[in-house]
Amino acid sequence: MARVQTKKRETEKQMTQRLQETPPFALVEAFRNLASNIGFAIPKTREEGGRVICISSAIAGEGKTTVAVNMAISCATIGAKTVLVDCDLRKPAVRKYFDVNGSKGLLDYLSGQAELGEVIQREVSKNLDVIIGRRSAPNPFALLKNGLFEQMLKQLEREYDYVIIDTPPLGIVSDAITVAAHTDGLILVARQMVSTHPMIQQVIADIDFAGVNFLGFVLNDYNMKNAGKEYYKKYKYSYKNQY
């Protein structure tokens, strides 16, 4: 399980800009550890294609999109060619984190109104491309099952080292399971003092039943005041200028 401490009272775009320009030491380490753990969990050579990772949560408001965005940024920062895909066709949110052109998105591709190359936002930052969810779809499940989605993932896997996919919450709709079935694995985001054991147990049961590769948890909003406080007090100053 990875633990992530996030700052409150920031807009999504402000937080993303801060993390790209002057990321806090602890947050950088958390996401680098997460990327490293995924590398061990899903060993692949470049000839086999990139790693395709699904990010979800049990319910809304647990920070899955924030985790997906920052995981993609972290992968891109270490030099991996990365694409972030907003696959929440019911309530897309990735575009709020970036200054991107919102003319075409994933829905346009899945409905046959645009080619894949037309919906990829290139180089939103170094090594990072994005496919946004421009608007909500009336029939997300049908769109994800029409064959174009699987075709898209195969093409992205050939082009990128990491394909990070943000999905709707698992405990609310079945879209995330449909998406995760075509990926190398799923990461579940839980928020401290929000997620409950029954919610998480039910979602894990659903993941297991669907035969999806469950990679583990990210615990969001982790309170570091009482955990590792002395460690970061001792080492933060020594290492902060490296990032």
Side-chain angles (χ1 to χ4, degrees):
M1 179 187 291
R3 296 179 174 87
V4 176
Q5 182 185 37
T6 57
K7 243 185 178 182
K8 299 179 179 179
R9 299 187 182 90
E10 286 182 304
T11 67
E12 292 92 341
K13 191 174 291 186
Q14 285 173 333
M15 184 187 66
T16 300
Q17 184 177 5
R18 177 176 60 83
L19 291 170
Q20 288 174 315
E21 293 176 355
T22 55
F25 172 80
L27 194 59
V28 169
E29 285 302 298
F31 279 105
R32 282 189 178 177
N33 286 338
L34 180 59
S36 177
N37 289 340
I38 288 172
F40 286 115
I42 311 172
K44 278 192 171 188
T45 65
R46 194 63 194 91
E47 290 73 24
E48 292 176 312
R51 298 173 176 87
V52 184
I53 312 298
C54 179
I55 311 292
S56 191
S57 60
I59 59 173
E62 295 188 280
K64 64 177 180 58
T65 302
T66 299
V67 169
V69 167
N70 289 292
M71 183 176 167
I73 291 171
S74 179
C75 291
T77 301
I78 62 175
K81 191 175 181 184
T82 305
V83 61
L84 172 63
V85 184
D86 190 342
C87 209
D88 189 339
L89 296 176
R90 299 172 189 271
K91 194 176 179 182
V94 166
R95 65 179 299 181
K96 297 177 183 178
Y97 291 75
F98 300 98
D99 184 15
V100 295
N101 178 0
S103 60
K104 291 183 179 179
L106 181 60
L107 181 57
D108 299 283
Y109 167 76
L110 293 178
S111 60
Q113 298 177 42
E115 297 295 324
L116 180 57
E118 297 179 86
V119 302
I120 299 176
Q121 307 273 348
R122 303 283 182 179
E123 290 287 321
V124 296
S125 64
K126 187 176 180 180
N127 296 321
L128 179 61
D129 296 347
V130 172
I131 298 177
I132 62 169
R134 188 165 61 89
R135 60 185 188 278
S136 59
N139 55 346
F141 186 78
L143 286 172
L144 293 170
K145 297 286 285 186
N146 70 5
L148 283 175
F149 178 73
E150 186 175 0
Q151 181 179 314
M152 177 191 75
L153 287 188
K154 288 179 179 178
Q155 186 170 336
L156 294 177
E157 187 178 4
R158 289 192 296 268
E159 184 176 347
Y160 295 91
D161 298 307
Y162 284 93
V163 181
I164 309 298
I165 304 174
D166 182 36
T167 71
L170 280 159
I172 298 176
V173 293
S174 60
D175 301 6
I177 288 291
T178 303
V179 172
H182 297 293
T183 69
D184 292 310
L186 180 144
I187 293 173
L188 190 66
V189 178
R191 186 181 290 275
Q192 188 174 23
M193 305 303 292
V194 173
S195 308
T196 66
H197 286 170
M199 289 177 191
I200 292 173
Q201 288 169 347
Q202 181 58 56
V203 166
I204 291 175
D206 293 341
I207 293 169
D208 184 58
F209 181 78
V212 171
N213 183 20
F214 180 46
L215 297 172
F217 293 94
V218 168
L219 179 59
N220 195 18
D221 252 353
Y222 181 63
N223 187 347
M224 296 183 65
K225 289 183 178 179
N226 299 316
K229 183 176 180 181
E230 293 304 315
Y231 179 92
Y232 284 106
K233 184 187 293 184
K234 182 177 179 181
Y235 288 101
K236 184 175 181 180
Y237 177 79
S238 300
Y239 288 101
K240 70 177 180 178
N241 291 327
Q242 294 185 19
Y243 304 101

